[in-house]
């Protein structure tokens, strides 16, 4: 359902993406792993046009788009079928939890308010926050804010949700509640592309793992296999250094 | 020190000064400041959104207006423009100059406040299917105006007092009225203090409104 071909992106002199190819099938949960600066976040941001790639192709739902030459209208059309969850939540600070979820539906999609509120309440219920509808982001914990952000992404019934290190800004005791919501989504068949440092999630929830370094894909494969028998020496080394973090969220 | 005569002058003049305060100074301030805010939001937004050409015009506007005295601007419009056939009545001329002048200062306030809104707010808005302008109007600008509110209140309070400069282009506002009474009674010390106190009264009320406004805007924390 999603394919990115030969994407390139540089920030000035620094080449962040050097010809990356990835694909995500419908219903699949794909985790992107890699050390800091490997380009994984940039890849996700380019996929949703938050950054403009220098070159590359996006195939979304069978339609082909150029990643560096695309109209605003087409971007809007693709974004309507995607959800994006940010590392630092980016909830609208001047809106309540419920308004955060309904804003895009009412303003962006011109949905009648009553219908949007109904969907919004259902989405918040799904992430276990139906009692926090009228709270402002500043009144919620990080974990709650991220769950509202997931509800916001869910509300529009996207075909895929991108997660950009969704638990990296959270205290360790709060990551669990976010990961369990993500696991629930995965179980329900949501297509997800997740940049993460949570090895437990990558191993146990995702179907496939993509390991990136220096703007390239080093290795990818079925997650069980990836963790059990990594093929590349670089992957083994990476898994050894982060093995201290393994085992959470399983 | 305050004899019977002076006391009567002060009491008698209080109403005479207050009336142009209510009919000229306050409307002049209110109208000019409202227009200034519109100019400021537009000027700040074209700079923030990096709109070609308009951004240069906005910068030029702010540069010229902030770099020249308000009094000079008033004179150029009221005494200068008739030379090229543009004759504007005193009050509209004052509104024009105060709006344009204040707009430049408030534009900088609002631009700074817009830049203080995290970029993630715009990104999140666009990711949930809103257009740039929709996110601007619903998410970014409300947050920026809230940040800018105390500084804008400050500008408004400063403007109440600056309207006294309109006396120089024959607008009969509070200060000019006071000058006329002084010319008649020759009690400059008492009367100028009196008009000063009336300005202080106006500004005190505005300060109270500012406090209440800040409290109201404080609903969502952060």
């Amino acid at each position: 359902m999603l394919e990115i071909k030969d994407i390139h992106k540089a920030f000035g002199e620094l080449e962040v993406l050097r010809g990356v190819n990835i694909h995500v099938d419908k219903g699949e949960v794909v985790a992107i792993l890699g050390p800091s600066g490997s380009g994984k976040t940039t890849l996700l941001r380019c996929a949703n046009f938050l950054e403009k790639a220098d070159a590359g192709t996006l195939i979304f739902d069978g339609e082909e788009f150029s990643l560096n030459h695309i109209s605003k209208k087409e971007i809007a059309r693709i974004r309507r079928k995607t959800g994006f969850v940010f590392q630092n939540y980016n909830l609208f600070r001047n809106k309540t939890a419920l308004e955060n979820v309904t804003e895009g539906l009412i303003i962006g999609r011109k949905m009648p308010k009553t219908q949007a509120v109904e969907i919004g309440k259902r989405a918040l219920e799904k992430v276990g926050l139906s009692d926090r509808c009228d709270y402002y982001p500043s009144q919620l914990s990080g974990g709650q804010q991220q769950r509202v952000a997931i509800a916001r992404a869910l509300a529009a019934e996207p075909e895929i949700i991108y997660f950009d290190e969704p638990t990296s800004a959270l205290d360790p005791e709060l990551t669990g509640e976010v990961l369990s919501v993500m696991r629930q989504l995965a179980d329900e068949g949501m297509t997800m592309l997740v940049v993460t440092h949570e090895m437990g999630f990558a191993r146990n929830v995702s179907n496939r793992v993509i390991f990136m370094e220096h703007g390239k894909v080093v290795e990818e494969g079925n997650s069980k296999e990836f963790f059990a028998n990594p093929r590349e020496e670089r992957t083994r080394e990476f898994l050894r250094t982060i093995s201290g973090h393994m085992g959470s969220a399983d | 020190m305050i004899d019977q005569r002076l006391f009567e002058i002060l009491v008698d003049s209080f109403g005479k000064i207050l009336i142009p305060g209510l009919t000229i100074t306050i409307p002049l301030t209110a109208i000019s400041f409202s227009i200034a805010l519109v100019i400021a939001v537009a000027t700040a937004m074209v700079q923030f959104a990096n709109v070609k050409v308009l951004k240069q015009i906005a910068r030029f506007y702010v540069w010229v207006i902030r770099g020249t005295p308000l009094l000079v601007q008033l004179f150029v419009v009221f005494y200068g423009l008739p030379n090229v056939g543009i004759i504007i009545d005193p009050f509209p001329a004052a509104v024009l100059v105060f709006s344009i002048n204040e707009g430049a200062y408030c534009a900088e306030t609002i631009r700074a406040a817009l830049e203080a809104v995290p970029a993630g707010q715009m990104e999140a808005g666009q990711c949930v299917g809103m257009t740039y302008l929709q996110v601007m109007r619903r998410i970014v600008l409300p947050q920026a105006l809230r940040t800018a509110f105390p500084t804008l209140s400050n500008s408004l309070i400063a403007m109440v007092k600056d309207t006294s400069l309109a006396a120089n282009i024959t607008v009969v506002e509070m200060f000019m009225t006071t000058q006329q009474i002084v010319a008649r009674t020759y009690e400059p010390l008492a009367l100028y203090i009196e008009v000063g106190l009336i300005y202080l009264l106006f500004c005190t009320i505005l300060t109270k409104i500012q406090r209440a406004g800040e409290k109201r805007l404080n609903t969502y924390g952060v």
Side-chain angles (χ1 to χ4, degrees), chain A residues 45 48 50 79-80 82-84 86 90-95 103-105 107-110 136 138-139 152, chain B residues 116-121 123-131 134-135 137-140 142-143 219-222:
Chain A
R45 289 173 60 83
N48 215 20
L50 292 172
R79 278 180 178 158
R80 240 164 243 172
T82 65
F84 201 101
F86 297 86
N90 286 342
L91 289 185
F92 306 134
R93 299 186 301 179
N94 57 332
K95 302 281 172 193
E103 190 71 9
L105 302 175
I107 305 302
R109 282 159 217 257
K110 311 273 175 246
Y136 284 96
S138 60
Q139 299 167 312
R152 177 171 71 178
Chain B
V117 177
Q121 296 284 306
E123 291 180 352
Q126 293 187 311
C127 281
V128 297
M130 291 194 271
T131 64
Q134 286 173 334
V135 187
R137 185 167 54 82
R138 304 275 311 179
I139 309 295
V140 177
Q143 290 181 30
T219 45
Y220 60 85
V222 179

Side-chain angles (χ1 to χ4, degrees), chain B residues 137-205:
Chain B
R137 185 167 54 82
R138 304 275 311 179
I139 309 295
V140 177
L141 202 51
Q143 290 181 30
L145 289 180
R146 206 203 128 205
T147 311
F149 187 77
T151 318
L152 291 177
S153 305
N154 209 24
S155 302
L156 174 63
I157 288 168
M159 194 182 196
V160 172
K161 295 167 292 165
D162 285 345
T163 55
S164 59
L165 289 175
N168 292 290
I169 59 164
T170 76
V171 175
V172 189
E173 42 65 73
M174 288 209 290
F175 186 60
M176 163 137 357
T177 309
T178 312
Q179 283 180 303
Q180 289 167 347
I181 299 170
V182 168
R184 224 171 40 237
T185 59
Y186 205 67
E187 285 294 347
L189 180 62
L191 285 164
Y192 287 140
I193 288 176
E194 183 174 37
V195 72
L197 288 173
I198 297 176
Y199 278 112
L200 183 61
L201 174 71
F202 284 2
C203 293
T204 306
I205 294 168

Side-chain angles (χ1 to χ4, degrees), chain A residues 176-234:
Chain A
E177 63 187 64
V178 171
L179 289 172
S180 74
V181 167
M182 290 171 65
R183 169 187 275 267
Q184 181 195 336
L185 290 183
D187 290 344
E188 289 169 11
M190 175 60 75
T191 311
M192 296 156 72
L193 183 58
V194 185
V195 169
T196 186
H197 292 296
E198 290 291 334
M199 293 305 140
F201 179 86
R203 188 172 51 180
N204 301 311
V205 182
S206 71
N207 311 107
R208 200 146 50 76
V209 173
I210 295 170
F211 175 60
M212 283 180 67
E213 189 174 41
H214 301 313
K216 288 198 158 181
V217 174
V218 175
E219 179 169 349
E220 75 166 289
N222 172 290
S223 28
K224 299 278 175 303
E225 233 162 82
F226 176 88
F227 283 99
N229 299 303
R231 291 188 303 271
E232 302 291 326
E233 175 50 35
R234 183 63 193 101

Side-chain angles (χ1 to χ4, degrees), chain B:
Chain B
M1 194 182 136
I2 295 188
D3 56 27
Q4 182 67 24
R5 177 184 158 271
L6 182 55
F7 184 75
E8 272 168 22
I9 289 172
L10 284 176
V11 172
D12 185 50
S13 60
F14 183 79
K16 286 186 182 141
I17 297 171
L18 188 63
I19 287 168
L22 298 175
T23 57
I24 304 288
T25 300
I26 289 180
L28 178 57
T29 307
I31 299 169
S32 304
F33 199 75
S34 307
I35 300 172
L37 278 184
V38 175
I39 296 173
V41 168
T43 307
M45 275 191 39
V46 296
Q47 292 183 78
F48 180 72
N50 230 332
V51 185
K52 277 173 217 153
V53 187
L54 285 181
K55 181 184 172 174
Q56 320 300 333
I57 295 172
R59 282 213 180 135
F60 179 79
Y61 156 67
V62 172
W63 172 63
V64 169
I65 297 301
R66 290 203 307 177
T68 54
L70 176 55
L71 190 57
V72 171
Q73 293 164 13
L74 282 165
F75 273 52
V76 166
V77 168
F78 188 72
Y79 298 111
L81 287 184
N83 265 11
V84 289
I86 302 170
I87 299 166
I88 310 173
D89 284 343
F91 188 83
V95 168
L96 181 71
V97 172
F98 284 122
S99 310
I100 291 175
N101 182 276
E102 198 64 25
Y105 287 92
C106 293
E108 287 297 281
T109 303
I110 293 172
R111 187 176 63 84
L114 282 172
E115 277 161 15
V117 177
Q121 296 284 306
M122 175 56 79
E123 291 180 352
Q126 293 187 311
C127 281
V128 297
M130 291 194 271
T131 64
Y132 183 89
L133 283 177
Q134 286 173 334
V135 187
M136 208 64 203
R137 185 167 54 82
R138 304 275 311 179
I139 309 295
V140 177
L141 202 51
Q143 290 181 30
L145 289 180
R146 206 203 128 205
T147 311
F149 187 77
T151 318
L152 291 177
S153 305
N154 209 24
S155 302
L156 174 63
I157 288 168
M159 194 182 196
V160 172
K161 295 167 292 165
D162 285 345
T163 55
S164 59
L165 289 175
N168 292 290
I169 59 164
T170 76
V171 175
V172 189
E173 42 65 73
M174 288 209 290
F175 186 60
M176 163 137 357
T177 309
T178 312
Q179 283 180 303
Q180 289 167 347
I181 299 170
V182 168
R184 224 171 40 237
T185 59
Y186 205 67
E187 285 294 347
L189 180 62
L191 285 164
Y192 287 140
I193 288 176
E194 183 174 37
V195 72
L197 288 173
I198 297 176
Y199 278 112
L200 183 61
L201 174 71
F202 284 2
C203 293
T204 306
I205 294 168
L206 281 177
T207 307
K208 296 257 184 248
I209 295 173
Q210 177 188 351
R211 292 271 154 73
E214 275 176 35
K215 229 177 195 171
R216 238 191 101 150
L217 286 171
N218 207 22
T219 45
Y220 60 85
V222 179

Side-chain angles (χ1 to χ4, degrees), chain A residues 18-182:
Chain A
R18 302 184 297 156
V20 173
N21 297 286
I22 65 161
H23 70 95
V24 182
D25 294 331
K26 195 167 163 46
E28 212 181 13
V29 178
V30 177
I32 305 178
L33 306 180
S36 303
S38 56
K40 50 198 194 306
T41 289
T42 305
L43 175 66
L44 211 59
R45 289 173 60 83
C46 286
N48 215 20
F49 304 97
L50 292 172
E51 300 290 349
K52 192 175 169 191
D54 300 327
T57 311
L58 171 78
I59 300 170
F60 194 96
D61 262 354
E63 261 188 285
E64 198 171 309
F65 304 94
S66 160
L67 279 164
N68 61 335
H69 195 81
I70 179 166
S71 71
K72 278 182 187 162
K73 234 181 185 157
E74 282 177 320
I75 290 176
R77 194 154 61 82
I78 297 169
R79 278 180 178 158
R80 240 164 243 172
K81 299 186 208 170
T82 65
F84 201 101
V85 175
F86 297 86
Q87 182 176 353
N88 50 2
Y89 340 124
N90 286 342
L91 289 185
F92 306 134
R93 299 186 301 179
N94 57 332
K95 302 281 172 193
T96 64
L98 182 61
E99 287 167 348
N100 261 278
V101 181
T102 58
E103 190 71 9
L105 302 175
I106 297 169
I107 305 302
R109 282 159 217 257
K110 311 273 175 246
M111 187 185 280
K113 200 179 166 202
T114 46
Q115 192 189 346
V117 167
E118 201 178 299
I119 291 174
K121 283 187 174 162
R122 226 181 303 137
L124 284 174
E125 196 184 323
K126 190 161 198 164
V127 299
L129 290 172
S130 35
D131 57 337
R132 292 287 185 275
C133 285
D134 300 324
Y135 284 56
Y136 284 96
S138 60
Q139 299 167 312
L140 299 171
S141 73
Q144 289 171 333
Q145 289 191 54
Q146 193 60 297
R147 279 147 68 199
V148 173
I150 293 173
R152 177 171 71 178
L154 266 181
E157 297 184 345
E159 294 179 25
I160 182 169
I161 302 182
Y162 303 110
F163 290 85
D164 181 18
E165 302 192 26
T167 57
S168 296
L170 294 172
D171 291 337
E173 69 265 31
L174 298 178
T175 58
E177 63 187 64
V178 171
L179 289 172
S180 74
V181 167
M182 290 171 65

